[in-house]
Amino acid sequence: MPKEHKVQIIPLGGLGEIGKNMTVVRYDNHMVLIDAGLAFPDDEMLGIDVVIPDYSYLIEHKEMLLGILVTHGHEDHIGALPYLLKDFDVPIFATRLTLGLIQTKLKESNLNQIKATAVQPRDMIKLGPFRIEFIRVSHSIPDSVGIAIHTPLGTIVHTGDFKIDHTPVTGDILDIHKFSELGDKGVLCLMSDSTNVERPGFTMSERRVGEMFEESFRVAKDRIIIASFASNVHRIQQAIQAAYKTNRKVAVVGRSMVNVVAIASELGYLDVPEGTLIDVDEIVNLPGNQACILTTGSQGEPMSALTRMAMNDHRRVEIQPGDTVIISASPIPGNEKSIARTIDHLFKLGANVIYESINGVHVSGHASQEELKLMLNMVRPQYFLPVHGEYRMLVKHTQLAEQLGIPKDNIFLAENGSIIEFTRHGASIAGKVTAGKILIDGLGIGDVGNIVLRDRKQLSQDGILIVVMTISRSTGAIVAGPDVVTRGFVYVRESETMLDEAKEKVRQTMARLRESHVTEWAVLKGQVRDTLSKHFYEKTRRRPMILPIIQEIE
Amino acid sequence: MPKEHKVQIIPLGGLGEIGKNMTVVRYDNHMVLIDAGLAFPDDEMLGIDVVIPDYSYLIEHKEMLLGILVTHGHEDHIGALPYLLKDFDVPIFATRLTLGLIQTKLKESNLNQIKATAVQPRDMIKLGPFRIEFIRVSHSIPDSVGIAIHTPLGTIVHTGDFKIDHTPVTGDILDIHKFSELGDKGVLCLMSDSTNVERPGFTMSERRVGEMFEESFRVAKDRIIIASFASNVHRIQQAIQAAYKTNRKVAVVGRSMVNVVAIASELGYLDVPEGTLIDVDEIVNLPGNQACILTTGSQGEPMSALTRMAMNDHRRVEIQPGDTVIISASPIPGNEKSIARTIDHLFKLGANVIYESINGVHVSGHASQEELKLMLNMVRPQYFLPVHGEYRMLVKHTQLAEQLGIPKDNIFLAENGSIIEFTRHGASIAGKVTAGKILIDGLGIGDVGNIVLRDRKQLSQDGILIVVMTISRSTGAIVAGPDVVTRGFVYVRESETMLDEAKEKVRQTMARLRESHVTEWAVLKGQVRDTLSKHFYEKTRRRPMILPIIQEIE
């Protein structure tokens, strides 16, 4: 009997989290990868820059990988490429803007020799046993696509990040006809975006934000400063449009915003009326009611342009009473406090701040419940795998699918690393591959693990205390020290007595051990540590890391 | 000409923040204090336990302080009392439940000998030149009051934290008649709660939550586990009521919840039907549809009962598939991620989780815009001072007051420490007193300042590297070491080569300096630090704290 053919879907990231999306689709010994994104570190990942999926599964099956398909240009979908492409020399397929953003990113990592192919929605490519179609969707960055992968066992559809915007700012609407056609012909499995599954109804059209902009621009008697995600080209387009209509010039501030505007303009994704964009040094000399500044910092990021302006620390833009600041974004979970702080500082400088919770100056890029239902009903897949969401969202998405009549047994609540396997006879979760996080800290890829993080955590709470002494090998006597050095524990100038007492306690402990003829360093250090730990806890109720260091001379 | 009499309001906390409320009301040389609360530390206050207002102004005017008036028993209104009462021997005035909570708190700090007077709404007390009335308000803890302070120059009204709940769970509604009467007779200045000023409309009645509870309790075929703030006695009352109506027994889990239920029952603020409360060890043996567990942990606090249950780490309660967990609270800003994590873990254990964003299982305890307008119109003060809110909320509240016709010049947008001064001839901001934060870390009150926090921050990001050596005083030669110890920087086992290179570089640097006859330790240490800093940044792109320690022997 010949070996049975199999299709496998293996999510390596994006399940149980919003971030670091990466999904393997495999047919026998051929694989394609959908997206390769990063995530930002959690609070407890102290000092970590970014997080990427553990892709050891790809390394182990290097020769099977035929290509990487990218749905859109957000960091959580492209941010792992600079790391991945050091290990793999495979072609990338993406739309033009996505590719533009990827290439900028790779250049920063000195990766210039990549194999990249620009595709358009409705393009069909062939990779090994796969025929792959790209399908236009709406999202908060232009040129976003879903992907259909036709395998000999059936068609797999991945929505990418999407919403259904019936009145998009530029370009066509989500390709209802293609999704319907696929549904008509039969889809084996649908993977769909779960980000907004907790929201009833429909997500508002991006165009709504443009209306709010125009209204605010007309009302404002002075300058407008808008902060948004740099990658939200439609948002930038609408700000430029509103400025043009209300006779304002526009200046762009903030490195990533400047970059994206350059790329998007060059590739034809931004329509800027002649003479509208001017330099920031010129705009500060215009009357306020003719000025609009586009900037980064909508998440209150410490080094961003808007945060610097709020702190009165920006080189070129100074907030003035009467300025209207529009924060056109919603807080990413975890950023609430830094955004609130930025808003407060702007108010204190006399600006009028317009932000989401009091005004519709932002709409989401992800589908709400009714859109998710429409997607499920268009594609009407045999099997369903909710992706791109925290665990509670995946649960909610499975419930939604059940309500629409997809049998419970055909819905997979999977985790990163799950193998969802399809044969002629059915589908099941058939095991698990290695999946997890690789923490990036500076040049270190994956070298910071639990021990280092645990130490950073302890250091961050109560600091460190180092006690150093030199002892004589022959006599065991202390010949230099004990010296005590602390950082992040107490204010040393006000703690001299306590630290002197500590030295005395160390001397006593060492003397006692010497009388008992204890000479093993591990024991000496352990006893010193215990003595000091008790001493300082009694005096301060703090538990600094205590590090005894002993040196020996003849 | 005799000296002009003055009334001053001096907020020492609570402006530009939600937390550590504390307000001085002064007439000539007589003062009362309204509330003495704490705040929880911001993210950047590493290792700090709690934050209280800098009350040096009170210390400087110790002999003027006649008493402390407390509006209600929340931590942000009573949490600074254990610190304050070590410095002041003044009477406290509060309602019974508030006093019960204060006394429990003070006992934990071994402060048993306090002068406390229980008051009731509509009570009038006399303190020096002040006549003081307590006025019933609704809030998320029973026995909350606002305060009217009659001074020879006019009446000051402070709302405390309030909402207007027309159908409260127990007790009477907010004392509309008293506030109106005060307004009728004339109020000099109103201080009003700004927390929910961004929300249009009315805040829903607490009773609404009871209805949702009852519905959820009826639908659930298995156990109910409700997490809420321990101090929300009305919420607890409603959970007990819903359990009783649906034939469930109730067990209370979590130290603070057990404490509050005990105090509230003893003082008659909880109405528990006979036999409804049972021990948690009994409840786990009941059929699921007869069980309800009340617990703490609604904010995803790491050590709380609910978080332990979610982590499968609670001694007595194990989450089972079919359990319904109701999180009856909204996230305090900053806690969003830990709550989301708790919810995810509960879903993974098979529980059905009901939380605010998908269901009305929580209502706020603070007034929305229409209630704030009603308060302003009832009291119709001559001057208005918005309190209890982040800066943007205070701004919004001043705008609200302006809309209602209070002249702009009579509205004060103040900060902590501002002196709002009233005389027969008018009012103005007349300077500033010391105000700020005192950070509490273990037993240390205010000893952790910027230097310690900056060190903790650096330690938390890239860890520390200590290089130790002993040198001979006579020759300047290294006689022991250099030894290198790191924590929180790199994984040592995988970094041996880099660390050995570092030692070699230290040896070279020391040798070079010795040849140049450099002997000052500061220079030696500085050069070693620079050399290593460069070395490690090149190798890792990290910047650990580098601490050279040199010992000297004869």
Side-chain angles (χ1 to χ4, degrees):
Chain A
M1 213 177 81
K3 184 168 151 282
E4 192 174 38
H5 294 292
K6 286 175 191 167
V7 167
Q8 294 179 333
I9 297 176
I10 307 170
L12 295 178
L15 297 200
E17 64 188 349
I18 294 186
K20 67 179 181 64
N21 294 282
M22 184 181 278
T23 310
V24 174
V25 175
R26 176 171 170 177
Y27 174 76
D28 292 348
N29 289 332
H30 310 280
M31 302 194 316
V32 288
L33 191 67
I34 301 175
D35 291 336
L38 58 72
F40 293 100
D42 282 347
D43 287 351
E44 66 267 33
M45 299 178 191
L46 293 168
I48 298 301
D49 303 326
V50 300
V51 181
I52 62 171
D54 181 339
Y55 56 93
S56 32
Y57 177 78
L58 294 178
I59 301 273
E60 286 159 23
H61 301 85
K62 206 164 176 168
E63 69 298 342
M64 295 186 193
L65 187 62
L66 303 173
I68 302 175
L69 319 169
V70 183
T71 58
H72 64 285
H74 280 155
E75 287 292 344
D76 59 334
H77 295 258
I78 68 171
L81 285 172
Y83 306 96
L84 217 64
L85 290 177
K86 287 182 182 144
D87 290 319
F88 299 94
D89 181 33
V90 295
I92 297 175
F93 300 88
T95 54
R96 280 171 62 232
L97 180 65
T98 307
L99 221 45
L101 293 166
I102 291 173
Q103 275 157 340
T104 308
K105 200 170 183 56
L106 295 178
K107 260 179 217 149
E108 288 168 5
S109 303
N110 293 317
L111 282 161
N112 297 306
Q113 300 296 321
I114 60 157
K115 301 175 190 159
T117 306
V119 296
Q120 286 187 36
R122 294 242 166 180
D123 274 3
M124 165 91 82
I125 62 166
K126 217 177 157 314
L127 279 180
F130 306 109
R131 282 177 309 120
I132 295 156
E133 283 183 285
F134 298 86
I135 314 164
R136 180 186 300 282
V137 298
S138 293
H139 187 45
S140 46
I141 184 170
D143 244 14
S144 296
V145 291
I147 293 173
I149 303 177
H150 303 281
T151 78
L153 286 182
T155 300
I156 310 285
V157 174
H158 192 301
T159 63
D161 292 6
F162 82 102
K163 68 190 277 193
I164 298 177
D165 191 335
H166 291 290
T167 55
V169 174
T170 54
D172 302 317
I173 66 164
L174 173 139
D175 195 343
I176 296 171
H177 304 91
K178 175 54 77 180
F179 282 111
S180 300
E181 183 197 313
L182 289 164
D184 222 38
K185 291 186 179 158
V187 166
L188 182 63
C189 182
L190 171 67
M191 287 177 263
S192 182
D193 175 4
S194 310
T195 313
N196 272 356
V197 70
E198 294 173 300
R199 297 198 197 172
F202 282 89
T203 301
M204 292 242 261
S205 170
E206 175 66 27
R207 202 171 284 267
R208 170 91 187 119
V209 177
E211 292 160 10
M212 296 304 296
F213 280 178
E214 215 179 304
E215 204 180 302
S216 309
F217 282 35
R218 283 198 200 287
V219 171
K221 292 190 179 55
D222 222 314
R223 294 193 305 185
I224 294 275
I225 296 163
I226 297 192
S228 170
F229 284 111
S231 63
N232 200 332
V233 177
H234 293 146
R235 195 66 51 89
I236 296 171
Q237 177 70 69
Q238 296 202 101
I240 291 173
Q241 210 64 34
Y244 180 68
K245 283 193 191 169
T246 56
N247 295 313
R248 291 172 185 267
K249 302 288 181 190
V250 177
V252 180
V253 175
R255 198 176 59 93
S256 60
M257 186 71 90
V258 171
N259 279 349
V260 169
V261 167
I263 296 170
S265 302
E266 190 189 316
L267 298 177
Y269 289 87
L270 256 186
D271 178 18
V272 184
E274 183 101 19
T276 303
L277 273 185
I278 65 173
D279 192 81
V280 63
D281 291 329
E282 289 177 62
I283 212 155
V284 293
N285 297 321
L286 282 183
N289 65 358
Q290 295 176 27
C292 172
I293 296 171
L294 281 179
T295 183
T296 52
S298 63
Q299 297 299 309
E301 307 92 326
M303 307 302 286
S304 67
L306 186 66
T307 306
R308 284 179 183 277
M309 292 178 204
M311 299 301 178
N312 223 337
D313 183 35
H314 194 274
R315 254 179 339 117
R316 292 153 96 187
V317 182
E318 197 177 326
I319 299 289
Q320 289 151 11
D323 284 349
T324 298
V325 179
I326 300 178
I327 299 185
S328 180
S330 62
I332 292 174
N335 293 345
E336 291 83 357
K337 282 188 118 171
S338 48
I339 297 173
R341 203 153 33 217
T342 302
I343 293 174
D344 273 7
H345 282 288
L346 290 167
F347 268 121
K348 280 184 194 163
L349 294 174
N352 177 32
V353 191
I354 300 177
Y355 47 99
E356 199 204 9
S357 58
I358 58 156
N359 200 316
V361 287
H362 173 70
V363 298
S364 168
H366 297 272
S368 298
Q369 286 172 11
E370 295 307 313
E371 292 153 274
L372 295 172
K373 290 180 192 168
L374 181 53
M375 179 59 76
L376 275 157
N377 276 337
M378 281 195 293
V379 178
R380 50 182 186 198
Q382 195 179 347
Y383 296 94
F384 176 57
L385 173 64
V387 295
H388 204 282
E390 308 212 20
Y391 193 80
R392 68 178 193 280
M393 300 168 189
L394 304 181
V395 169
K396 187 92 191 158
H397 210 169
T398 64
Q399 292 166 352
L400 207 72
E402 266 188 77
Q403 284 168 25
L404 299 185
I406 299 187
K408 196 170 177 157
D409 288 346
N410 288 14
I411 301 173
F412 295 104
L413 188 58
E415 8 185 70
N416 293 331
S418 295
I419 304 171
I420 298 108
E421 187 171 281
F422 305 85
T423 65
R424 295 261 170 236
H425 304 97
S428 63
I429 294 191
K432 207 164 177 326
V433 308
T434 302
K437 300 173 178 69
I438 298 177
L439 309 186
I440 314 273
D441 181 4
L443 296 180
I445 300 176
D447 70 321
V448 170
N450 288 336
I451 296 175
V452 173
L453 287 182
R454 200 192 52 211
D455 285 349
R456 286 184 186 173
K457 176 79 185 170
Q458 192 187 350
L459 291 167
S460 77
Q461 293 302 300
D462 286 326
I464 189 168
L465 183 135
I466 304 136
V467 52
V468 188
M469 58 201 130
T470 305
I471 60 178
S472 157
R473 187 173 304 155
S474 45
T475 67
I478 299 177
V479 293
D483 291 328
V484 168
V485 182
T486 84
R487 288 292 186 276
F489 168 43
V490 290
Y491 187 49
V492 174
R493 288 200 190 170
E494 290 173 357
S495 312
E496 278 174 16
T497 313
M498 178 175 70
L499 296 175
D500 284 343
E501 284 168 12
K503 284 186 209 167
E504 187 49 41
K505 282 191 184 272
V506 172
R507 268 185 220 105
Q508 287 166 8
T509 305
M510 291 296 285
R512 184 169 49 73
L513 292 167
R514 192 176 161 208
E515 277 168 28
S516 319
H517 306 289
V518 177
T519 52
E520 300 96 279
W521 282 20
V523 179
L524 296 177
K525 287 181 181 179
Q527 296 270 325
V528 167
R529 189 182 291 117
D530 291 348
T531 304
L532 290 184
S533 184
K534 192 157 161 279
H535 174 65
F536 290 119
Y537 187 71
E538 272 168 17
K539 296 279 181 187
T540 65
R541 290 285 184 281
R542 297 178 198 166
R543 296 196 181 283
M545 182 181 284
I546 293 175
L547 220 56
I549 301 177
I550 301 175
Q551 292 199 316
E552 205 176 42
I553 58 160
E554 286 304 328
Chain B
M1 213 176 83
K3 184 170 151 278
E4 191 174 42
H5 294 292
K6 286 175 191 168
V7 166
Q8 293 179 333
I9 297 176
I10 307 170
L12 295 177
L15 297 202
E17 63 189 349
I18 294 185
K20 66 180 182 66
N21 294 281
M22 185 180 280
T23 309
V24 173
V25 176
R26 175 172 171 177
Y27 175 76
D28 292 347
N29 288 333
H30 310 279
M31 303 194 313
V32 289
L33 191 67
I34 301 175
D35 292 335
L38 59 71
F40 293 100
D42 282 347
D43 287 351
E44 65 268 34
M45 298 178 192
L46 293 168
I48 297 301
D49 303 327
V50 300
V51 181
I52 62 171
D54 181 338
Y55 56 93
S56 31
Y57 177 78
L58 295 178
I59 302 274
E60 286 159 23
H61 300 85
K62 206 164 177 169
E63 69 298 342
M64 296 187 194
L65 188 62
L66 303 174
I68 302 175
L69 320 170
V70 184
T71 59
H72 63 284
H74 279 154
E75 288 291 343
D76 57 335
H77 295 258
I78 68 170
L81 285 172
Y83 305 96
L84 217 62
L85 290 177
K86 286 181 183 145
D87 290 318
F88 299 95
D89 181 32
V90 294
I92 297 176
F93 300 87
T95 54
R96 281 171 60 233
L97 180 65
T98 306
L99 221 44
L101 293 167
I102 290 173
Q103 274 157 342
T104 309
K105 200 167 185 56
L106 294 179
K107 260 180 216 149
E108 288 168 7
S109 303
N110 295 317
L111 282 162
N112 298 307
Q113 299 298 321
I114 60 157
K115 300 175 192 159
T117 305
V119 297
Q120 285 188 34
R122 294 240 165 181
D123 275 2
M124 165 91 81
I125 61 167
K126 217 177 155 319
L127 278 180
F130 305 109
R131 282 179 308 119
I132 295 157
E133 285 184 284
F134 298 87
I135 314 164
R136 181 186 300 283
V137 298
S138 293
H139 187 44
S140 46
I141 184 169
D143 243 14
S144 295
V145 291
I147 293 173
I149 303 178
H150 302 282
T151 78
L153 286 183
T155 302
I156 309 284
V157 174
H158 192 302
T159 64
D161 292 7
F162 82 102
K163 67 190 279 192
I164 298 177
D165 190 336
H166 291 289
T167 56
V169 173
T170 54
D172 302 317
I173 66 166
L174 174 137
D175 195 343
I176 297 172
H177 304 90
K178 175 54 77 181
F179 281 110
S180 298
E181 183 197 315
L182 290 165
D184 222 36
K185 293 187 179 158
V187 166
L188 182 63
C189 182
L190 170 68
M191 287 178 263
S192 181
D193 175 3
S194 311
T195 314
N196 273 356
V197 70
E198 292 173 303
R199 298 198 197 172
F202 282 89
T203 301
M204 293 243 259
S205 171
E206 176 66 28
R207 203 171 282 268
R208 170 88 186 122
V209 178
E211 292 160 10
M212 295 305 296
F213 279 178
E214 213 179 305
E215 203 182 302
S216 308
F217 281 36
R218 285 198 199 286
V219 170
K221 294 192 177 55
D222 223 314
R223 294 194 302 187
I224 294 276
I225 296 162
I226 296 192
S228 172
F229 284 111
S231 62
N232 199 334
V233 177
H234 293 146
R235 196 64 52 87
I236 296 171
Q237 177 70 69
Q238 297 202 99
I240 291 173
Q241 211 63 34
Y244 179 69
K245 283 193 190 169
T246 56
N247 296 313
R248 292 172 185 266
K249 302 287 182 191
V250 177
V252 179
V253 176
R255 197 175 60 92
S256 60
M257 186 72 90
V258 170
N259 280 350
V260 170
V261 168
I263 296 170
S265 302
E266 192 189 314
L267 298 178
Y269 289 86
L270 256 186
D271 177 19
V272 184
E274 183 101 19
T276 303
L277 272 186
I278 64 174
D279 192 81
V280 63
D281 291 330
E282 290 177 62
I283 211 154
V284 293
N285 296 321
L286 283 182
N289 64 358
Q290 294 175 27
C292 173
I293 296 171
L294 280 181
T295 184
T296 52
S298 64
Q299 297 298 309
E301 307 92 325
M303 307 303 285
S304 67
L306 186 67
T307 306
R308 285 181 183 278
M309 293 179 203
M311 297 301 179
N312 222 338
D313 183 33
H314 193 273
R315 254 177 341 114
R316 294 154 95 187
V317 183
E318 198 176 325
I319 299 289
Q320 289 151 11
D323 284 348
T324 298
V325 178
I326 300 178
I327 299 184
S328 180
S330 62
I332 292 175
N335 294 344
E336 292 83 356
K337 282 188 117 170
S338 49
I339 298 173
R341 204 154 32 218
T342 302
I343 294 174
D344 273 6
H345 282 289
L346 290 167
F347 268 122
K348 279 185 194 163
L349 294 174
N352 178 33
V353 191
I354 300 177
Y355 47 100
E356 198 204 11
S357 59
I358 60 158
N359 201 318
V361 288
H362 173 70
V363 299
S364 170
H366 296 274
S368 298
Q369 285 171 12
E370 295 306 315
E371 292 152 275
L372 295 172
K373 289 180 193 168
L374 183 51
M375 179 59 76
L376 276 157
N377 277 337
M378 281 194 294
V379 178
R380 50 182 184 197
Q382 195 178 346
Y383 295 95
F384 176 57
L385 173 64
V387 296
H388 203 283
E390 309 211 19
Y391 193 81
R392 68 178 192 278
M393 300 167 188
L394 305 181
V395 170
K396 188 91 191 160
H397 209 171
T398 64
Q399 291 166 354
L400 208 71
E402 266 189 77
Q403 283 168 25
L404 299 185
I406 300 188
K408 196 170 176 157
D409 287 347
N410 289 11
I411 301 172
F412 295 103
L413 188 59
E415 1 184 76
N416 294 330
S418 295
I419 303 171
I420 298 107
E421 187 171 281
F422 306 86
T423 64
R424 295 260 171 239
H425 306 97
S428 64
I429 294 191
K432 208 164 178 322
V433 308
T434 302
K437 302 175 176 72
I438 298 177
L439 309 186
I440 314 272
D441 181 4
L443 296 181
I445 300 176
D447 70 320
V448 170
N450 287 336
I451 296 174
V452 173
L453 287 181
R454 199 192 53 209
D455 284 349
R456 287 184 185 171
K457 177 79 185 173
Q458 191 186 352
L459 290 167
S460 78
Q461 293 303 299
D462 287 326
I464 189 167
L465 184 135
I466 303 135
V467 53
V468 188
M469 57 200 132
T470 305
I471 60 177
S472 157
R473 188 173 303 156
S474 46
T475 68
I478 298 176
V479 293
D483 292 328
V484 168
V485 181
T486 84
R487 288 291 186 275
F489 169 42
V490 291
Y491 187 49
V492 174
R493 288 202 189 169
E494 288 172 358
S495 312
E496 278 173 16
T497 314
M498 180 176 67
L499 297 175
D500 285 342
E501 284 167 11
K503 285 185 209 167
E504 188 48 41
K505 281 188 186 277
V506 173
R507 266 185 223 106
Q508 287 166 8
T509 305
M510 292 295 285
R512 185 167 48 73
L513 291 166
R514 194 177 162 209
E515 277 168 30
S516 318
H517 306 290
V518 177
T519 51
E520 302 95 279
W521 282 20
V523 180
L524 296 177
K525 286 182 182 178
Q527 294 271 323
V528 166
R529 190 182 289 117
D530 291 349
T531 304
L532 290 183
S533 184
K534 191 157 163 277
H535 174 66
F536 290 119
Y537 187 71
E538 271 169 17
K539 295 280 181 186
T540 66
R541 289 286 183 280
R542 295 177 200 169
R543 297 195 181 283
M545 183 182 283
I546 294 174
L547 220 55
I549 300 177
I550 301 175
Q551 293 198 316
E552 206 177 42
I553 57 160
E554 288 301 330

